[in-house]
Amino acid sequence: MSEVQRGLAISRSQYYREHDSALAAVVALLWDRCFATAVSTNGAGLHGPPTSSQPQASAAEAPPGPGHPLRRFKLARWATAAAVVALVIAGLLVGGGLPLRMGEVSPLGEVSPLGEAPASVEMRGAPAVAAMALSIYAGTGEAGHANGPALLARFAGPLGLTIDDTGMVYVADTGNHRIRMVTNTGLVLDLAGSGIEGYADGPRATAEFSSPNALTVAPNGTVYVADAGNLRVRAINPDGSVSTLAGSGEAGVRDGAGTEARFAATGAIVADRLGNLYVPDRLNNLIRKITPEAEVSTFAGTGKRGHTDGPSHLAHFNLPLRMAADAIGNVYVVDTGDNRIRKIAPSGLVSTVAGTGEPGFADGSSAEARFSNNVMGICVDEEGNLYALDAGNGRIRKITPEGGVSTIFDFGGQDISPANMKIDRAGNLYLSDRTHNMIYRIAAAASPRTP
């Protein structure tokens, strides 16, 4: 059985664990939003917590009678919450995600008024009329930590994203110091991390991270984490244990075996199809490579800040930040200080893919295109097209293998702040919004579906 087949084969026990986690989360949420809120009013008012002059309800007090306003309020809130949960679950079963609550954003950035059904939304069983618009994939928008159905889950400054071959989405929940996952059944669960900021390897539930901000999945299913606060690269192994792959925890630049190595920053991480990892060591202006055996080496760059293409050991980078890798071994780098996107070929040759070096905005040929100095994410699809999250220009840009640069999505002026982006094998884009504690999804160009 292949790795992909193993990943797709979800056992009954895993399904029941997910089901129980979701059920517990829903019950806790309903209790907090319905019973707990209603009781806190103590009948003195239904629009806020009791004041210091209003005594709290005692557990020994008799419940209000059938005709009491508080009893009617409780029942109404239960009914409303239950209906919302039913609608959320139904939505997840139909196709996942809800239209953006602030209004649907179309691929051209148009917003339909709240409450209207956006014409671009594709319904299962109906012919497609256009590409699907931006939708909320996970998160309520409120900061916190809550598992369960994706649209009821809470995050705290989610940043890094990665997606495995089965479509499972992993999230570096930076503010919660945890790694989360959004399963194919529409549930948000903790993958690893106790929630306590620190450094500790071991079982996933007791492991500690410090502001993890990037993730990648290796072919064997291991999830690697750029643990920014600890200046280390951590591994969440298929057996659930967390270990340190590379990094001493001390800032600097040193190649070597595993924990002997030093990094100045770990702002991103990406895996190739052979299981090698690449880390942009931004403050050292280097691209580092980590083999599956934990050997750390300098993959490209001299350490001198600048812009020079050519052999990897002679190339110069200027504050490299985000990365991507394609199926044939090319590694792509967002060189933020140069406003360019660079490529490192398997042969070690460094070249410029797109960008003039001048900040700004211009589509067209790759040699004439301009990007802002705030490109926050980059990813590559199965056909070799690159996608850049040009946050400074409020756009998602596409760079074809032939060298054409175009805008495929304009979110400028909307109340969203995407900070990272990844793509799944079907071409759907996922964006993290650490400001609004959301994960968004932009569906690939729609195609007709059968019921």
Side-chain angles (χ1 to χ4, degrees):
M1 180 182 290
S2 69
E3 293 292 341
V4 173
Q5 287 173 319
R6 275 193 286 271
L8 289 168
I10 300 176
S11 67
R12 285 189 177 184
S13 60
Q14 175 65 20
Y15 171 80
Y16 290 133
R17 283 197 298 272
E18 292 182 2
H19 177 273
D20 290 345
S21 296
L23 190 59
V26 171
V27 169
L29 182 67
L30 290 179
W31 178 268
D32 175 66
R33 298 292 176 85
C34 304
F35 264 112
T37 303
V39 168
S40 70
T41 65
N42 196 29
L46 302 180
H47 300 289
T51 64
S52 58
S53 62
Q54 295 170 340
Q56 295 284 347
S58 167
E61 287 182 294
H68 195 280
L70 183 57
R71 172 64 68 89
R72 292 198 299 270
F73 175 68
K74 287 181 182 178
L75 293 175
R77 289 196 59 139
W78 267 104
T80 301
V84 170
V85 171
L87 286 172
V88 169
I89 293 174
L92 290 170
L93 291 175
V94 169
L98 288 180
L100 202 62
R101 280 193 287 267
M102 65 199 75
E104 192 76 28
V105 182
S106 76
L108 298 179
E110 298 171 349
V111 180
S112 61
L114 189 63
E116 294 183 11
S120 61
V121 174
E122 179 190 5
M123 301 299 290
R124 188 178 293 276
V129 292
M132 285 184 71
L134 187 74
S135 62
I136 297 171
Y137 190 69
T140 66
E142 298 180 57
H145 174 259
N147 289 323
L151 298 176
L152 299 178
R154 291 186 183 181
F155 300 89
L159 180 55
L161 296 172
T162 193
I163 306 169
D164 68 18
D165 285 340
T166 72
M168 198 89 76
V169 177
Y170 301 88
V171 181
D173 196 2
T174 306
N176 279 318
H177 310 291
R178 286 181 166 99
I179 308 304
R180 317 281 292 281
M181 59 191 293
V182 187
T183 73
N184 293 319
T185 55
L187 301 177
V188 173
L189 304 171
D190 287 342
L191 179 67
S194 66
I196 299 172
E197 182 177 10
Y199 169 66
D201 288 333
R204 69 174 76 195
T206 58
E208 294 177 1
F209 298 89
S210 177
S211 301
N213 64 355
L215 302 165
T216 193
V217 182
N220 67 355
T222 300
V223 177
Y224 291 101
V225 181
D227 195 5
N230 286 315
L231 290 173
R232 292 177 167 100
V233 174
R234 314 283 292 282
I236 306 173
N237 304 295
D239 65 4
S241 63
V242 175
S243 58
T244 298
L245 179 72
S248 67
E250 298 180 51
V253 55
R254 179 194 292 169
D255 291 337
T259 55
E260 296 177 359
R262 292 185 183 181
F263 304 89
T266 55
I269 188 168
V270 65
D272 66 19
R273 294 301 174 99
L274 299 177
N276 298 299
L277 304 178
Y278 302 89
V279 176
D281 198 348
R282 187 168 187 256
L283 300 181
N284 285 322
N285 297 296
L286 297 172
I287 309 301
R288 315 288 291 279
K289 178 180 178 179
I290 310 172
T291 68
E293 294 75 33
E295 284 292 330
V296 179
S297 61
T298 296
F299 183 59
T302 64
K304 181 179 178 180
R305 184 173 175 178
H307 174 78
T308 304
D309 288 335
S312 60
H313 67 285
L314 299 177
H316 294 163
F317 293 89
N318 193 344
L319 302 177
L321 179 61
R322 304 292 186 206
M323 300 183 71
D326 65 20
I328 59 175
N330 294 305
V331 175
Y332 300 90
V333 181
V334 175
D335 210 9
T336 57
D338 267 341
N339 307 291
R340 291 179 170 104
I341 295 171
R342 316 280 293 280
K343 180 175 78 171
I344 310 170
S347 64
L349 184 66
V350 178
S351 60
T352 297
V353 173
T356 65
E358 295 293 327
F361 172 76
D363 284 333
S365 71
S366 59
E368 298 173 346
R370 290 189 180 186
F371 300 83
S372 75
N373 56 11
N374 195 25
V375 176
M376 297 297 292
I378 188 171
C379 50
V380 58
D381 67 15
E382 298 289 307
E383 284 74 43
N385 297 297
L386 284 172
Y387 300 85
L389 175 58
D390 192 352
N393 284 316
R395 292 172 166 91
I396 295 175
R397 320 279 293 278
K398 179 179 179 180
I399 308 163
T400 67
E402 295 75 32
V405 179
S406 61
T407 295
I408 64 166
F409 198 97
D410 186 344
F411 57 87
Q414 308 308 321
D415 189 22
I416 63 173
S417 304
N420 207 337
M421 179 176 68
K422 289 293 184 290
I423 192 168
D424 66 17
R425 300 188 75 177
N428 303 302
L429 293 167
Y430 299 81
L431 297 85
S432 62
D433 187 336
R434 66 187 308 181
T435 301
H436 296 97
N437 303 297
M438 294 278 198
I439 308 298
Y440 307 120
R441 179 177 182 263
I442 302 174
S447 57
R449 294 179 178 174
T450 57

